[in-house]
Amino acid sequence: MLNLSFNRYQGKAWDRCFFPRLSKLEVAQVPKDDALIVLPVGAIEQHGPHMPVFTDTLISEVLLTEAFEQLPDDANIWLLPAIPYGKSTEHLGHPGTITLSATTLMAVVMDIAKSLSKSGFQKLVLVNTHGGNTDLLNMMGREIRIETGLAVFRLDPGGLGAADEWITPLEKQAGIHAGDMETSLVMSAKPDWVHMELAPTEYPNYPDSRYLGLRNRAFAWVMDDLSHSGISGDATQATITKGRAMSEKYGAHIAEALLSFQAFEMASLKKSQ
């Protein structure tokens, strides 16, 4: 389990498995046949009146730090620095939001993938902690596969359900931004970055239709369509204790996923003739 006081760039993820700490000779010596490169993609955007704009990128660091603690010491899995900026156009107009255009983020992700391919790597996982990146990264996974031949995997930790036992059914359905889960995770890592005295509760008015849920992306929206405060969820229920428990469980799920990706071979999909 990760030390309860989160320190950026400490732990196995950073001391042993941080890709940029390697020299060119060390990179050349990494066995490429089963190496998995992890590229986190986050965001810098408003998270209501109580949370830092670095929330999504910080959460990627917290969860991956925990995940690497739970990997075997000999796992050939390497962590890249997070891309801290995402496609956050849905939050434009809120102070502190810094967004890349879709085409810029696509180009950055592709350039990173091409560079890894030139170094001989064969497997890449895009770990996303911002909902606004999801569709773009799903599309880019296939484009990278076509362009470089890399096996590309996708992981959105928020979809793993690791927080379900600590949040309400309503929060699970509608707590999509700066609510209980995200606030708890940030509090567990950087409590001084969270202003709980300002934590709001606000949920959108869902239409009474099975076809119009936010999570099934039935309609396009920006945050100003959903919320006055800039959040969707109940941040007042967040606690450090919940955040620490969530982090540990998310870390276990992510570690399991990374090991599955590392062991998987694309050639296994086709039955032999």
Short mmCIF file of all heavy atoms in Angstrom, two decimals, residues 49 59 66 85 100 109 230:
data_model
loop_
_atom_site.label_atom_id
_atom_site.label_comp_id
_atom_site.label_asym_id
_atom_site.label_seq_id
_atom_site.Cartn_x
_atom_site.Cartn_y
_atom_site.Cartn_z
N PRO A 49 -15.56 25.12 -7.32
CA PRO A 49 -14.92 26.12 -6.49
C PRO A 49 -13.97 25.54 -5.45
O PRO A 49 -13.25 26.29 -4.79
CB PRO A 49 -16.10 26.81 -5.80
CG PRO A 49 -17.14 25.74 -5.72
CD PRO A 49 -17.00 24.93 -6.98
N ILE A 59 -4.85 12.85 -10.23
CA ILE A 59 -5.46 11.55 -9.98
C ILE A 59 -4.74 10.46 -10.77
O ILE A 59 -4.52 9.34 -10.26
CB ILE A 59 -6.97 11.58 -10.29
CG1 ILE A 59 -7.70 12.37 -9.19
CG2 ILE A 59 -7.54 10.18 -10.42
CD1 ILE A 59 -9.18 12.59 -9.46
N GLU A 66 0.10 4.06 -7.02
CA GLU A 66 -0.41 2.92 -6.24
C GLU A 66 -0.35 1.64 -7.06
O GLU A 66 0.04 0.57 -6.56
CB GLU A 66 -1.84 3.20 -5.80
CG GLU A 66 -2.47 2.08 -4.99
CD GLU A 66 -1.76 1.81 -3.68
OE1 GLU A 66 -1.60 2.74 -2.88
OE2 GLU A 66 -1.35 0.65 -3.47
N TYR A 85 -2.23 18.12 -20.27
CA TYR A 85 -3.33 18.86 -20.90
C TYR A 85 -4.16 17.90 -21.73
O TYR A 85 -3.63 17.04 -22.43
CB TYR A 85 -2.79 19.97 -21.82
CG TYR A 85 -1.84 20.90 -21.12
CD1 TYR A 85 -0.46 20.79 -21.32
CD2 TYR A 85 -2.30 21.88 -20.27
CE1 TYR A 85 0.41 21.63 -20.69
CE2 TYR A 85 -1.43 22.73 -19.61
CZ TYR A 85 -0.06 22.60 -19.83
OH TYR A 85 0.81 23.44 -19.18
N LEU A 100 -6.28 21.61 -25.03
CA LEU A 100 -5.77 21.39 -26.37
C LEU A 100 -6.96 21.16 -27.29
O LEU A 100 -8.00 20.67 -26.86
CB LEU A 100 -4.85 20.17 -26.42
CG LEU A 100 -3.63 20.18 -25.50
CD1 LEU A 100 -2.83 18.89 -25.68
CD2 LEU A 100 -2.75 21.39 -25.75
N VAL A 109 -0.32 12.60 -29.17
CA VAL A 109 -0.36 11.17 -28.84
C VAL A 109 0.26 10.34 -29.96
O VAL A 109 1.02 9.40 -29.70
CB VAL A 109 -1.82 10.73 -28.56
CG1 VAL A 109 -1.92 9.22 -28.39
CG2 VAL A 109 -2.35 11.43 -27.31
N GLY A 230 -20.16 24.20 -11.79
CA GLY A 230 -19.03 23.58 -12.49
C GLY A 230 -18.78 22.15 -12.07
O GLY A 230 -17.77 21.57 -12.47
#
